[in-house]
Amino acid sequence: MSIEIANSKRVIYDFGMNDGLNLPYYLKKGIKVVGIEANPDCCDRVKEKFSNYINTQQLVVENCVVGPLDSKEEVEFYVHRFHSVLSQFPKPSLRNQPNFRTVKIAQRKASSIIKEHGIPYFVKIDLEGGDEQVLEDFFEHTIIPELLSVEAQKIDIFFKVLKMGYRLFNWVDGAKVSRDYSNTQINTFEGIETYSFVRQSAGPFGEDLKSPWRTQEPFLDFLLGTRMGWKDIHAKLH
């Protein structure tokens, strides 16, 4: 399968939707939003809160583990007992296992979800240990969204993004989203409006970012001088 670039579709994917903190913003930006989340409790809360958008099919919720296989057999997903954003597919370390409970969830490849729901305009990836696997799956199947955001726990992520053909890069500090992007101007289908991003959300993307876009070498220099962690690398093709 080869998926070509086409931004006219405006399909947005939220890999690691959690409780849906990004959805109010994404629904202003895309004609269709696909939220992917393994934690069934989070999916139930999103379905209740955003039922109107689900009924009109502007929002689709996929309750599955994003993994290396499309499998009919359910796999174990580790739900964090205290902080749902820390839930993960990779088995936690022995020391941390008391902080998790397991649920059995179907597994799907990211590329299969894209194939089902349409060409991506923007993709946000935050899967607590599964981000690199999604990028590799995208690269293998020539899925190159016009805009991409991925959590940057380590600098290797940047080189995987670079390999996909992106040429311009930006940065969002997760700990400062609600401060840096409070009462900020965003572009929507209905024009420019003021929007405040809440704590724990991924923040804006594309033209709504305030910080300057950098080419490869300046951005790499920036990364080398910055502590990685709860931060997202943004990338665009042009």
Side-chain angles (χ1 to χ4, degrees):
M1 177 186 70
S2 176
I3 297 180
E4 297 180 353
I5 301 159
N7 61 17
S8 60
K9 295 287 186 180
R10 303 291 287 199
V11 182
I12 292 173
Y13 291 84
D14 187 351
F15 283 92
M17 173 185 68
N18 200 255
D19 277 331
L21 292 179
N22 302 307
L23 295 181
Y25 171 61
Y26 292 166
L27 289 164
K28 293 177 181 292
K29 303 286 288 186
I31 61 170
K32 179 179 180 180
V33 178
V34 182
I36 304 97
E37 174 58 45
N39 186 336
D41 295 335
C42 289
C43 290
D44 288 344
R45 288 191 288 269
V46 166
K47 288 176 182 178
E48 181 178 358
K49 183 176 180 180
F50 296 93
S51 59
N52 289 341
Y53 293 98
I54 292 173
N55 291 338
T56 60
Q57 299 183 334
Q58 187 183 355
L59 173 63
V60 177
V61 174
E62 289 282 355
N63 183 198
C64 64
V65 168
V66 179
L69 300 172
D70 287 310
S71 175
K72 294 180 180 179
E73 295 184 6
E74 294 183 334
V75 295
E76 286 189 339
F77 180 74
Y78 297 86
V79 177
H80 200 280
R81 296 181 184 276
F82 312 109
H83 305 289
S84 62
V85 294
L86 299 178
S87 301
Q88 61 185 64
F89 180 37
K91 189 174 183 178
S93 65
L94 184 62
R95 183 184 66 179
N96 288 327
Q97 283 180 23
N99 293 325
F100 293 84
R101 62 180 176 88
T102 59
V103 294
K104 290 278 192 174
I105 299 293
Q107 178 182 186
R108 296 193 66 185
K109 294 177 65 174
S111 56
S112 296
I113 295 171
I114 299 290
K115 184 178 181 180
E116 177 180 350
H117 293 293
I119 296 167
Y121 168 63
F122 169 66
V123 174
K124 166 252 174 183
I125 308 169
D126 184 358
L127 291 176
E128 298 302 318
D131 301 345
E132 292 187 46
Q133 183 270 317
V134 173
L135 293 178
E136 290 167 0
D137 186 21
F138 279 9
F139 183 75
E140 179 183 352
H141 291 89
T142 323
I143 298 172
I144 314 295
E146 180 71 20
L147 297 165
L148 176 74
S149 167
V150 59
E151 189 174 31
Q153 290 289 341
K154 48 187 180 178
I155 201 168
D156 297 18
I157 285 287
F158 173 65
F159 296 108
K160 289 186 179 295
V161 171
L162 191 63
K163 184 175 70 171
M164 294 172 70
Y166 290 99
R167 295 292 177 263
L168 292 172
F169 307 94
N170 215 319
W171 184 259
V172 169
D173 189 330
K176 300 177 181 178
V177 164
S178 60
R179 185 198 71 183
D180 292 346
Y181 290 97
S182 175
N183 295 315
T184 192
Q185 301 295 299
I186 65 168
N187 290 272
T188 74
F189 288 123
E190 298 180 355
I192 297 175
E193 66 175 78
T194 300
Y195 187 89
S196 290
F197 292 87
V198 299
R199 291 184 68 254
Q200 303 288 338
S201 69
F205 68 85
E207 60 193 351
D208 294 334
L209 290 170
K210 295 178 181 178
S211 50
W213 290 85
R214 298 176 171 94
T215 54
Q216 175 184 341
E217 291 187 7
F219 190 73
L220 179 57
D221 289 341
F222 168 75
L223 288 183
L224 292 172
T226 302
R227 180 178 296 179
M228 311 297 283
W230 186 18
K231 299 177 176 71
D232 297 326
I233 289 176
H234 286 249
K236 65 178 181 178
L237 292 166
H238 310 289

